[in-house]
Amino acid sequence: MYIGEAAQRSGTTIKSIRHYESIGLLPAVQRLGKYRVYDQQSVDLLIFIKCAQQLGFRLKELQAIFAGYQGQAMPWALAHLAIDAKKREISERMTVLSRQHDQLIEFEASLKQSRADCPLKSL
């Protein structure tokens, strides 16, 4: 299939596909004359990239997952490790944000009682 169909099937754009190729995220594909010809494996990878980005992965992180990938079997084991690491990162951020939220509630309450009494003085 040509790039337009690959974009349509994967839900990405032609521009994105070209960008992924230029940064080495998507391996070079076979050419038929001047046209790139994509297979289902390329479409699957594009779908994975799109999903991963929507879930907070940066392209640099995805490049690390697929470093050295040249169209052979997908490195799913590395993808699972990266997903686990991303989940831990998000959990840690949630903990920090939750703590910050609680501190804001305390701060707001202290402002209602006395503007001089700030519970964050110890920080």
Side-chain angles (χ1 to χ4, degrees):
M1 76 191 83
Y2 294 129
I3 195 168
E5 186 177 349
Q8 183 180 18
R9 285 187 183 191
S10 64
T12 60
T13 64
I14 292 171
K15 184 177 179 179
S16 293
I17 294 173
R18 288 184 178 138
H19 178 65
Y20 300 154
E21 287 177 351
S22 73
I23 64 171
L25 192 53
L26 187 65
V29 296
Q30 179 183 359
R31 288 189 173 264
L32 185 60
K34 65 178 186 171
Y35 297 101
R36 296 173 174 110
V37 181
Y38 297 86
D39 58 13
Q40 187 58 46
Q41 191 171 359
S42 297
V43 172
D44 292 343
L45 181 55
L46 288 166
I47 291 169
F48 176 85
I49 292 167
K50 183 174 180 175
C51 284
Q53 282 187 293
Q54 290 172 341
L55 293 171
F57 280 91
R58 294 178 300 277
L59 290 180
K60 290 270 187 208
E61 292 172 310
L62 295 175
Q63 284 176 306
I65 294 170
F66 293 107
Y69 172 69
Q70 295 298 320
Q72 312 87 282
M74 298 278 285
W76 294 122
L78 292 175
H80 285 287
L81 290 174
I83 290 167
D84 287 341
K86 181 60 79 173
K87 289 189 305 188
R88 282 191 304 277
E89 176 189 323
I90 289 171
S91 272
E92 290 168 8
R93 286 193 346 228
M94 287 171 53
T95 300
V96 169
L97 288 172
S98 179
R99 190 176 320 122
Q100 186 178 13
H101 180 264
D102 293 344
Q103 289 173 338
L104 284 169
I105 290 171
E106 288 177 31
F107 183 55
E108 182 179 41
S110 74
L111 288 176
K112 289 178 182 175
Q113 291 175 344
S114 167
R115 296 198 185 277
D117 183 26
C118 177
L120 302 178
K121 284 182 183 175
S122 63
L123 296 179

